[in-house]
Amino acid sequence: MLTQSEQDEILQLIRQQVVPAIGCTEPIAVALCVAKARELLGVIPEKIEVKLSANILKNAMGVGIPGTGMIGLPIAVALGALIGKSEQQLEVLKNCNKEAVKAGRAFIDEGRIDIQLEKATNEKLYINVVCQAQGQEAEARIMAAHTNFVWLRKGEEVLLNREVCSAESLPKSHVELSMRKVYEFATETDIEQLRFILEAKTLNENASKKGMEDNYGHQLGKTMCSPLGKGVLGDSIYAHILASTGSACDARMAGAMVPVMSNSGSGNQGICTTVPVTTFARENHNTEEELIRALILSNLTAIYIKQHLGTLSALCGCVVASTGSSCGITYLMGGNYDQIAFSVKNMIANLTGMICDGAKPSCALKLTTGVSTGVMSALLAMQHKCVTSVEGIIDDDVDKSIRNLTAIGSKGMDETDKYVLDIMTSKTAHK
């Protein structure tokens, strides 16, 4: 049984990792860093130099920037300099309007922005911005997490230097999580302490509705709800889960000005841990308490896995997030701890190895693939069926199975990550 101290620390961890965000978190984090450097400089920059790690560059190249109708980093950098407010964190561009976009386009056309790959760092998440104007300059650096500033400089004066303590990652919770602790926290904590997670339901379901209202991205959610989609998939709970998840991602990746509740620094992961669970709960007529506990279980499972995988990796985040939603759905089906552990093993046996090739509209396809597997894994788990330790990378111990997944994603796929980036940047160079 969890101690009160452990419960308090886990609760704090969830509140730190489940936060609102507008737009894809990688380009938004870049905009945040630019905004901070510009605030230090005190004037609109004449020149902005941006250096990024490969994973940030990969995830920011092809995604829509909210409220702009534009794709990619240049407009995110320009808006960060022109209207960004660093205190708004991952909602740094929420004040974007038509006038700002027009000014941002002009800023880009004037050749003020220089974006480069930083080859000298091994950090997966690295953003360094230098803003210059009137012979002065200011510098800001984010590492390890999307809002984690580790270096601030104005002219020759260093205002912040935390690089030494952030080389690996942010300080972790003192609680060593396990699937058993995740389950106990979700099912035993006083429900009133967990009610805040319903904000994730409100935000992410609103994003799903937004995706149905307009033609965002590849319109996966709307396509699933079309006569053809219903003819193939039917009008089932399963089809509704896929469509609602896909439409939320459609809107977010295409740059809709709509906040979502993120998980572990990713809005798509937040969508994937939330929308499938809320959709199933509504159509399965679960109680509000059951929904709250399922959402906590889903989100905390994803946080637990990401702690070992890292904020960014070669492994698509939907693998982690849909594993969380599979746990939540299994719980809503009436599953116990053993069945929830079965669903985790089933997920790892199926989705391990799905590559991340950047944030983009087609992420909706990956999210729905993950969620589809999540539903199947839950169904099998409820029948007490799971992939066994004689099959592939699965271990009898569910936590060891998770370690196998994260080892492959964080270390085993490093070479894959390099090839993915090479392919993506070579296409850009040819344009």
Side-chain angles (χ1 to χ4, degrees):
M1 185 173 178
L2 294 173
T3 65
Q4 186 60 52
S5 175
E6 287 177 317
Q7 283 194 353
D8 291 344
E9 288 205 31
I10 294 173
L11 192 62
Q12 182 181 14
L13 179 64
I14 298 173
R15 287 187 174 275
Q16 289 172 345
Q17 296 296 328
V18 180
V19 296
I22 295 177
C24 177
T25 39
E26 277 69 56
I28 295 302
V30 175
L32 172 63
C33 199
V34 172
K36 190 69 171 181
R38 187 257 301 148
E39 289 166 0
L40 293 175
L41 188 64
V43 295
I44 298 298
E46 298 166 3
K47 183 77 174 177
I48 303 175
E49 181 185 84
V50 181
K51 292 186 177 181
L52 307 171
S53 61
N55 287 77
I56 290 288
L57 192 63
K58 179 181 72 174
N59 280 348
M61 288 170 60
V63 68
I65 306 303
T68 68
M70 299 174 68
I71 287 174
L73 280 166
I75 189 62
V77 171
L79 290 175
L82 295 172
I83 64 162
K85 295 181 180 179
S86 64
E87 69 268 17
Q88 292 173 338
Q89 299 281 288
L90 294 179
E91 296 181 288
V92 64
L93 299 185
K94 71 178 182 180
N95 295 327
C96 179
N97 53 37
K98 290 182 180 180
E99 291 74 21
V101 174
K102 183 179 179 181
R105 288 178 182 271
F107 197 95
I108 296 167
D109 293 341
E110 290 164 5
R112 298 193 192 194
I113 300 170
D114 180 23
I115 300 170
Q116 303 174 24
L117 171 65
E118 178 55 85
K119 297 180 179 179
T121 181
N122 292 321
E123 286 284 341
K124 300 284 189 182
L125 199 165
Y126 177 95
I127 304 165
N128 195 83
V129 174
V130 176
C131 289
Q132 301 171 339
Q134 303 171 5
Q136 302 295 318
E137 68 176 33
E139 183 178 13
R141 186 177 305 152
I142 288 174
M143 292 171 64
H146 294 85
T147 60
N148 182 44
F149 284 98
V150 299
W151 173 267
L152 297 174
R153 176 179 63 85
K154 181 177 182 179
E156 299 298 320
E157 183 184 3
V158 175
L159 304 173
L160 175 68
N161 183 2
R162 293 176 50 218
E163 284 189 87
V164 173
C165 64
S166 66
E168 279 298 324
S169 65
L170 293 174
K172 292 186 173 67
S173 167
H174 295 302
V175 176
E176 185 67 32
L177 288 176
S178 65
M179 274 310 302
R180 175 65 73 176
K181 287 184 178 180
V182 168
Y183 175 78
E184 288 180 357
F185 179 85
T187 57
E188 297 175 9
T189 302
D190 176 25
I191 194 66
E192 294 305 317
Q193 289 189 284
L194 306 179
R195 195 170 293 278
F196 70 91
I197 201 67
L198 289 176
E199 186 184 355
K201 173 184 184 294
T202 300
L203 290 182
N204 294 348
E205 285 189 343
N206 183 57
S208 183
K209 291 176 184 176
K210 187 80 170 176
M212 292 292 186
E213 290 170 359
D214 210 334
N215 296 328
Y216 291 106
H218 298 293
Q219 302 166 48
L220 180 60
K222 291 183 74 172
T223 300
M224 289 180 174
C225 293
S226 69
L228 175 61
K230 289 183 177 180
V232 173
L233 294 171
D235 198 19
S236 62
I237 297 177
Y238 173 71
H240 298 166
I241 288 172
L242 299 188
S244 59
T245 304
S247 65
C249 188
D250 284 332
R252 179 173 180 268
M253 289 289 95
M257 183 58 80
V258 56
V260 300
M261 190 66 80
S262 66
N263 181 296
S264 305
S266 167
N268 277 353
Q269 286 170 198
I271 289 169
C272 202
T273 54
T274 302
V275 176
V277 176
T278 62
T279 304
F280 183 88
R282 182 173 57 255
E283 303 208 16
N284 195 50
H285 304 292
N286 289 100
T287 65
E288 183 178 71
E289 178 173 342
E290 288 169 338
L291 170 60
I292 291 170
R293 296 194 183 281
L295 286 172
I296 291 291
L297 177 61
S298 177
N299 279 275
L300 188 55
T301 298
I303 292 168
Y304 166 41
I305 298 173
K306 287 291 285 187
Q307 279 189 329
H308 294 275
L309 180 63
T311 305
L312 297 176
S313 73
L315 186 71
C316 179
C318 81
V319 176
V320 176
S322 57
T323 298
S325 63
S326 186
C327 293
I329 290 170
T330 303
Y331 174 79
L332 292 172
M333 289 178 174
N336 57 26
Y337 171 75
D338 288 337
Q339 290 163 314
I340 287 166
F342 289 166
S343 73
V344 173
K345 293 180 184 181
N346 292 339
M347 292 295 290
I348 294 171
N350 193 328
L351 288 181
T352 298
M354 181 184 286
I355 64 168
C356 171
D357 56 342
K360 58 209 176 301
S362 61
C363 285
L365 287 163
K366 293 190 177 186
L367 257 65
T368 51
T369 295
V371 171
S372 172
T373 302
V375 175
M376 289 188 288
S377 295
L379 289 171
L380 279 177
M382 290 305 296
Q383 299 300 313
H384 296 276
K385 293 182 171 71
C386 79
V387 179
T388 67
S389 60
V390 299
E391 303 172 73
I393 65 169
I394 300 303
D395 194 282
D396 286 328
D397 185 312
V398 65
D399 295 296
K400 288 182 180 178
S401 296
I402 288 172
R403 300 296 188 280
N404 294 341
L405 165 71
T406 57
I408 290 170
S410 62
K411 299 175 183 177
M413 295 176 69
D414 272 351
E415 198 65 22
T416 299
D417 212 21
K418 294 174 185 176
Y419 275 103
V420 168
L421 184 67
D422 285 345
I423 292 168
M424 292 175 67
T425 53
S426 66
K427 288 193 301 179
T428 303
H430 293 156
K431 290 181 179 179

